[in-house]
Amino acid sequence: NARYRFFLFSDVLVYAHKSSAGDYKIHEELPLYLLKITDKFTGAARKTNRAFHIRHPRKSFMVFAVDEATKISWMEAINEAVSKDMERKARLEGARLASAAVER
């Protein structure tokens, strides 16, 4: 059972562990546009209301929050960040296509 600290940015979810020196060592950086989360589990994980699953092509794992309220808060924050990142990427792609059409 490793303990990780999560850092949510506008385009990436980073998780890290605290080293013996007291600094954080990054374990993985997961781009949000490929990230999915769910709290639907079976078996032992279903017995707690504080677990959710992070799925990404690079890494997939279960997260246990300290309590259900924290889990809900993190899930909402991650889902909102994913949505905003997807909207931003769609706007950028739209601008790129419009620019390419004007240059022709």
Side-chain angles (χ1 to χ4, degrees):
N1 289 341
R3 288 189 172 250
Y4 293 100
R5 178 72 57 149
F6 289 82
F7 301 91
L8 180 60
F9 297 94
S10 63
D11 62 344
V12 69
L13 178 67
V14 175
Y15 64 101
H17 69 275
K18 201 166 195 175
S19 74
S20 57
D23 58 344
Y24 286 99
K25 300 292 182 186
I26 293 174
H27 186 73
E28 195 76 59
E29 297 178 25
L30 305 173
L32 293 180
Y33 73 97
L34 295 171
L35 192 115
K36 303 280 185 230
I37 60 170
T38 182
D39 65 349
K40 295 180 176 136
F41 293 103
T42 59
R46 196 163 195 56
K47 294 178 183 174
T48 179
N49 285 333
R50 60 187 188 94
F52 62 98
H53 198 231
I54 293 179
R55 296 180 194 275
H56 191 277
R58 198 179 305 154
K59 191 79 174 176
S60 185
F61 53 91
M62 193 178 315
V63 176
F64 290 89
V66 293
D67 55 37
E68 186 177 10
T70 303
K71 177 194 92 167
I72 291 167
S73 175
W74 265 99
M75 288 182 69
E76 288 173 350
I78 292 169
N79 279 327
E80 183 178 342
V82 168
S83 292
K84 286 182 178 178
D85 188 43
M86 295 296 286
E87 290 169 7
R88 183 182 63 81
K89 286 188 180 332
R91 279 193 313 272
L92 288 172
E93 181 63 11
R96 187 189 69 76
L97 292 173
S99 175
V102 169
E103 290 176 4
R104 290 184 192 168

